[in-house]
Amino acid sequence: EDGIAEGLQNWFKLFTYLYVDLIEPRTKSDTKSSINHEEFQQIEASLREQRLHTIYTVSFYIDSFFSIASAIIELQKLTRHLRKVSADVKKQSKEYSQSLCDLLVMMAPVIPCLSSELWIILQKQMKTNIDGYDLTKSLFEQKFPTLPVDYPGKINALFETTVFSSMPISRSQLATMTTADVLQHLIENDKQSEMKAFIAKNGLKLDRSRKLGDYCTTLIYERDPTIPYVEPIEPIVEKKKNKPPKKKPTS
């Protein structure tokens, strides 16, 4: 428990530094950017991918298991990713600003006081509007970030809390798929050859499917009571006996 508390404290510090960094580039005199247009676009694309991946995974963990701990881990990853962005990129990057807003709104249910204080800093520093947000309103009046229409949905196969098979799919196609369609897509996907092996090894059967909005459908597997299952026995590793220290030769 002490380790968890320490980890959260370190994250809060990292989180606060992120917003200190937000102030500094805007208060310093303008300097010429050291990156070219192509490099900047690559950074923007990377920021967008990380931001949208975080929205997806946080939504998935909350909607599927209400796992706050797993959601926090994903938010920590986004925080660290943003900390690596250079100062000259921060000043001109729309994706960076969008990521900050998304991060704060997703953080609000977990640490409302700190998130609210940082939102006020954000309101003072941002000179342009951010898509999907009204910076004249408080943090708690903002809508939870959503995935854009061009971001693919996913179909998963789940046992307990383990996603043992997954593949992207068009969200427009996902909306019309039945449970049988989802299963067929997973089985036919060449990259999912391990799916059948996992099911056979663990003695599973398809129990039900769960649709999460328009972004994800999960096939949920349970143990098949008609199939005998034996828990794997972990090998016992004997500890090596410490060798007695060698005696120093006497002169």
Side-chain angles (χ1 to χ4, degrees), residues 21-30 90-93 96-97 100 125-127:
D21 293 344
L22 174 68
I23 298 172
E24 288 186 348
R26 287 166 169 77
T27 55
K28 292 179 180 179
S29 58
D30 291 337
K90 292 175 184 177
K91 289 190 293 184
Q92 54 185 319
S93 171
Y96 181 79
S97 300
L100 288 175
Q125 295 300 319
M126 292 295 180
K127 297 179 181 179

Side-chain angles (χ1 to χ4, degrees), residues 41-240:
Q41 292 303 318
Q42 290 176 350
I43 294 171
E44 284 286 87
S46 174
L47 283 169
R48 184 177 190 271
E49 179 57 33
Q50 183 65 40
R51 177 175 66 84
L52 296 181
H53 176 73
T54 303
I55 294 173
Y56 169 82
T57 51
V58 168
S59 300
F60 175 77
Y61 285 126
I62 296 298
D63 292 343
S64 295
F65 318 112
F66 200 68
S67 176
I68 303 298
S70 297
I72 286 176
I73 290 172
E74 297 303 319
L75 293 172
Q76 288 175 330
K77 291 177 184 177
L78 178 58
T79 306
R80 293 189 182 95
H81 190 85
L82 295 177
R83 276 284 286 167
K84 296 176 183 178
V85 178
S86 62
D88 52 350
V89 171
K90 292 175 184 177
K91 289 190 293 184
Q92 54 185 319
S93 171
K94 291 183 179 179
E95 277 298 329
Y96 181 79
S97 300
Q98 185 80 45
S99 297
L100 288 175
C101 290
D102 288 350
L103 181 59
L104 274 180
V105 172
M106 288 188 285
M107 277 299 309
V110 183
I111 44 173
C113 294
L114 177 59
S115 300
S116 181
E117 289 295 323
L118 294 175
W119 181 262
I120 294 171
I121 295 175
L122 195 72
Q123 287 176 306
K124 293 177 180 178
Q125 295 300 319
M126 292 295 180
K127 297 179 181 179
T128 58
N129 289 327
I130 308 298
D131 290 343
Y133 296 104
D134 185 347
L135 296 180
T136 64
K137 295 182 179 180
S138 73
L139 173 65
F140 305 107
E141 295 178 273
Q142 310 300 325
K143 293 181 180 180
F144 197 86
T146 56
L147 296 167
V149 293
D150 63 335
Y151 193 81
K154 283 189 179 180
I155 52 179
N156 304 313
L158 176 76
F159 172 59
E160 294 180 343
T161 58
T162 301
V163 176
F164 62 89
S165 183
S166 180
M167 65 175 288
I169 194 167
S170 164
R171 282 158 67 188
S172 60
Q173 184 180 359
L174 182 61
T176 62
M177 293 176 70
T178 64
T179 299
D181 294 333
V182 173
L183 178 60
Q184 192 66 23
H185 268 73
L186 281 175
I187 291 175
E188 290 179 352
N189 184 11
D190 292 337
K191 296 180 181 179
Q192 306 302 325
S193 58
E194 297 178 358
M195 178 179 173
K196 289 182 178 179
F198 185 92
I199 292 172
K201 179 181 177 181
N202 292 278
L204 306 180
K205 68 171 184 175
L206 178 60
D207 184 69
R208 62 194 184 279
S209 66
R210 177 190 292 148
K211 183 167 285 190
L212 304 176
D214 67 341
Y215 71 91
C216 178
T217 295
T218 301
L219 301 179
I220 301 173
Y221 283 77
E222 303 289 350
R223 298 271 189 212
D224 188 341
T226 65
I227 300 176
Y229 175 74
V230 179
E231 289 283 350
I233 300 173
E234 295 184 3
I236 299 173
V237 180
E238 293 184 1
K239 293 183 179 180
K240 292 183 179 180

Side-chain angles (χ1 to χ4, degrees), residues 246-251:
K246 293 182 179 180
K247 293 182 179 180
K248 294 182 179 180
T250 55
S251 55

Side-chain angles (χ1 to χ4, degrees), residues 32-45 88-89 92:
K32 189 176 180 180
S33 176
S34 60
I35 62 172
N36 59 41
H37 178 73
E38 184 178 349
E39 291 172 331
F40 178 76
Q41 292 303 318
Q42 290 176 350
I43 294 171
E44 284 286 87
D88 52 350
V89 171
Q92 54 185 319

